[in-house]
Amino acid sequence: MPAWIEPALNSLPRVLLQAGALFVVATFVFDAIHFALHRCLDSRHRWLRRLSRPHLAHHVFFDRRLRYHAEASRANLLHHVVPEYFTQMAVCALAFAVLDAAAVGLVMAGFTVLSSFALLMRGKDLFHRPTPRLPVADGTVMVGPPYHALHHVYPDSYISSY
């Protein structure tokens, strides 16, 4: 094995661990903002309600009956998909200060692929699929489409991205 390959192989577990941690942190930051937006919708302060109102476009696009509304697709992309991506990229950019560039680049590439897919599908990604029956929330650490579907049925609950 050439000598220049060995350091890269030795750092792979560290890079993957950092990438996993960054993915969790970036997702948590977006989920915290998402939670705050939902709480602000019921605020007694008009400016907080106004600040959070654009997020409603996401719930108009994919409603409580787990149906799409094509007329709300553009607003969903502008007020949910794009801000989610920018939040993830901002967290990743901050991570360049403390993590390996390879780990940050890997996570940024992953978020870019996921967001690009959501944009290409006009918001109809894997986490937003119509279903004839209400799914059951599973008790795993990772959140899947059935759990996220429950968020659309019960918008003040089940707030999590992944």
Side-chain angles (χ1 to χ4, degrees):
M1 177 180 310
W4 58 273
I5 291 179
E6 189 174 331
L9 289 177
N10 290 337
S11 67
L12 185 62
R14 183 183 71 242
V15 167
L16 293 177
L17 184 63
Q18 288 181 4
L22 178 56
F23 180 85
V24 169
V25 169
T27 299
F28 178 79
V29 169
F30 177 75
D31 287 344
I33 292 169
H34 187 194
F35 178 79
L37 289 172
H38 277 272
R39 291 289 120 7
C40 288
L41 285 169
D42 296 326
S43 174
R44 62 186 174 101
H45 301 288
R46 184 171 47 165
W47 69 274
L48 286 174
R49 290 191 310 270
R50 181 171 281 162
L51 176 73
S52 63
R53 194 169 298 132
H55 176 68
L56 287 177
H58 180 60
H59 292 277
V60 169
F61 167 69
F62 193 59
D63 68 15
R64 287 178 181 237
R65 299 178 114 192
L66 305 178
R67 295 175 306 184
Y68 297 124
H69 296 277
E71 68 278 3
S73 177
R74 181 181 170 124
N76 175 56
L77 296 176
L78 290 173
H79 298 297
H80 180 72
V81 175
V82 171
E84 179 176 18
Y85 178 69
F86 284 148
T87 300
Q88 293 162 340
M89 290 298 108
V91 172
C92 288
L94 292 172
F96 274 120
V98 294
L99 300 178
D100 290 343
V104 177
L106 184 64
V107 175
M108 288 177 113
F111 281 136
T112 299
V113 167
L114 291 170
S115 295
S116 296
F117 178 73
L119 287 170
L120 287 171
M121 298 301 294
R122 306 283 300 154
K124 298 177 181 179
D125 59 27
L126 298 174
F127 279 70
H128 300 94
R129 296 281 180 210
T131 180
R133 293 191 313 165
L134 187 61
V136 174
D138 52 8
T140 64
V141 174
M142 297 296 289
V143 171
Y147 187 94
H148 189 72
L150 289 170
H151 169 63
H152 282 272
V153 175
Y154 306 104
D156 292 329
S157 303
Y158 302 99
I159 296 177
S160 189
S161 299
Y162 300 101

